[in-house]
Every structure is written in C-alpha cells, then in structure tokens.
Amino acid sequence: MIERTQINAYIEKTFHVKAEKRFTKFPDYDVFRRLDNHKWFGIVMDINESKMELAGSKQINLINLKLEPELIGILLGKDAYFPAYHMNKEHWISINLNADEMTMGELKPLIDASYQLAE
C-alpha cells in the first residue's frame, strides 16, 4: 500500500511539482502537471471500489498515469492495474495504491515515464 504523501513527496522532490487541487467537487484529488507546458502527467484520486469492478464498497486511492500503450497492455495483466478511470484508456492507466503488492519501487519508474510522455 502506498500513501499519497509518499507520491506527493517523490513528485515534488524529483520534478519540483506540487499537487494541485483542481476540482471543487473533488477536493481530495491531486493533479500533477509539468511546469513547462502544464500538461497532466498524473492524478491521485479516491473512488469507490465498485467503480473499478472490485468487490466491496470502500474508498480506495488510485493514481492515473500516462504510459505507452504497449506497457499498459502488459501491466493490465497484474492485479493492481486497471483501464484508466475517466481518462483515455489507450494512453492512461489506473493503479490501485491500496493493493498490498504495490510499492514505491514499482511506481516510481511509471511516474517518471508518465512525466516524460507529457512533453
């Protein structure tokens, strides 16, 4: 399980980008945009498990990242990865941050790749 604070700290330290609260209706969503072109490279949000077709009704934290379609195809075979929630499913993927097997070691290179693709 990965905490939002870990993600925010990693992104701020690595890319000097702070989370933005862009949605009045969803004040807990954290949007990450490149400083040079303002393109999104990530969003952390809390949604109900049922929206990701998971059994249960509790809130989970997800991160949406922009990745190469080939990599998305590979990752979708793993438990913590889902077609993107409310984003283009060809270029974005949702990752369940509450999954026991998810670690920052696995997530960091994906965040880095998303940042690079948002050029």
Side-chain angles (χ1 to χ4, degrees), residues 20 33-40:
E20 298 178 30
R33 299 187 304 158
R34 289 180 60 112
L35 295 175
D36 56 354
N37 61 16
H38 305 288
K39 290 184 181 180
W40 291 31

Side-chain angles (χ1 to χ4, degrees), residues 17-34:
V17 171
K18 291 188 179 194
E20 298 178 30
K21 306 291 188 182
R22 305 216 22 111
F23 304 104
T24 305
K25 187 175 177 181
F26 303 104
D28 294 330
Y29 285 19
D30 293 331
V31 174
F32 299 97
R33 299 187 304 158
R34 289 180 60 112

Side-chain angles (χ1 to χ4, degrees), residues 49-50 53-58:
E49 288 175 307
S50 63
E53 299 182 9
L54 294 170
S57 60
K58 66 181 179 182

Side-chain angles (χ1 to χ4, degrees), residues 8-119:
N8 291 2
Y10 175 73
I11 290 173
E12 187 171 345
K13 181 181 177 187
T14 306
F15 305 111
H16 310 290
V17 171
K18 291 188 179 194
E20 298 178 30
K21 306 291 188 182
R22 305 216 22 111
F23 304 104
T24 305
K25 187 175 177 181
F26 303 104
D28 294 330
Y29 285 19
D30 293 331
V31 174
F32 299 97
R33 299 187 304 158
R34 289 180 60 112
L35 295 175
D36 56 354
N37 61 16
H38 305 288
K39 290 184 181 180
W40 291 31
F41 66 92
I43 179 171
V44 177
M45 58 192 127
D46 56 318
I47 64 164
N48 192 286
E49 288 175 307
S50 63
K51 292 186 178 181
M52 299 310 293
E53 299 182 9
L54 294 170
S57 60
K58 66 181 179 182
Q59 293 292 105
I60 59 171
N61 285 308
L62 293 180
I63 187 169
N64 277 1
L65 296 173
K66 185 175 188 173
L67 298 174
E68 294 286 351
E70 297 80 17
L71 180 55
I72 290 172
I74 293 167
L75 292 174
L76 288 176
K78 297 182 174 189
D79 287 341
Y81 298 88
F82 299 91
Y85 179 72
H86 274 291
M87 301 293 263
N88 178 306
K89 290 170 182 21
E90 181 181 355
H91 298 283
W92 289 81
I93 194 166
S94 289
I95 304 168
N96 180 357
L97 300 174
N98 293 85
D100 290 332
E101 64 273 8
M102 184 53 54
T103 65
M104 278 303 290
E106 186 171 348
L107 189 60
K108 284 178 183 180
L110 300 177
I111 293 171
D112 296 349
S114 186
Y115 182 85
Q116 293 302 320
L117 284 172
E119 289 184 316

